[in-house]
Amino acid sequence: MDARRWIERFSELVTADAERLTRLDSAIGDGDHGTNLDRGLRAAVTALDADLPPGKVLMTAGRSLVSKTGGASGPLYGTALRRAGKAIGDASELGATELGTALRAALEAVKELGKAEEGDKTMVDALTPAVAAYEAASGEGVPAAARAALDAAEKGAEATVPLQARKGRASYLGPRSVGHLDPGAASTVLLFRALADVAD
Ligand code: ADP
Ligand code: MG
């Protein structure tokens, strides 16, 4: 698995879907999620030199996201990737085991920083089932585990629609946040779609 291609693919998918992410954020936030993440990921891709080991790729991308992405999601995605990279250390390959370690560390970083639990209508609602599904299928290899994670992320994101937001800007809307897909959960689906696209 090529970590750099993963980040590049995530960036491509976010660029392609930036308008939709922003529209979702306009409904229950301030309408900047797509542009925020697109800007941060473009910066991350630019910061990635060829031939970095996977842990360094993820840490470098994470640092760019923290500094270049506005909003709540920048520090959350950025810290997630930094911790993911740190967790795999100097590993020369991103195999099924290292990726599992990275994903688990990413989830824990998001929860620690954002203090959201499943059901709060945030990216945690897509990330938690995706990481669990990845772990359950990781014995089958990266491509199969990535597909299982994508499937779980999609279901988790969809399940945010009927929820009332309890974290982030959308929580200011109270019951009016019900009936909308959470934008961060939608972008988390793209993170796993990117993984499934490049997994080999
Ligand atoms: P902002 O809300 O600051 O404008 P973005 O629009 O870029 O930031 O991102 C909004 C997304 O960030 C939300 O849809 C949600 O998924 C995620 N988010 C916000 N606060 C939290 C939190 N405390 N924990 C986890 N995710 C959060
Ligand atoms: Mg926003």
Side-chain angles (χ1 to χ4, degrees), residues 62-186:
R63 257 199 315 274
S64 295
L65 279 180
V66 169
S67 64
K68 297 280 162 40
T69 312
S73 62
L76 289 164
Y77 275 120
T79 306
L81 288 179
R82 279 171 53 184
R83 289 273 199 88
K86 203 169 161 204
I88 56 175
D90 298 329
S92 56
E93 299 286 331
L94 194 53
T97 307
E98 294 80 12
L99 192 53
T101 302
L103 290 172
R104 175 56 55 183
L107 171 62
E108 262 148 34
V110 169
K111 290 177 79 174
E112 189 186 313
L113 183 64
K115 308 269 186 287
E117 293 295 332
E118 252 185 305
D120 287 347
K121 197 180 181 100
T122 71
M123 60 175 73
V124 169
D125 292 344
L127 196 51
T128 304
V131 174
Y134 178 92
E135 287 171 345
S138 79
E140 297 164 39
V142 176
R147 274 193 303 276
L150 170 59
D151 195 46
E154 281 173 336
K155 292 196 173 82
E158 205 48 51
T160 64
V161 172
L163 297 175
Q164 178 170 331
R166 285 195 292 249
K167 284 283 183 289
R169 255 175 222 285
S171 67
Y172 309 158
L173 292 181
R176 282 184 294 132
S177 63
V178 171
H180 300 277
L181 181 65
D182 176 64

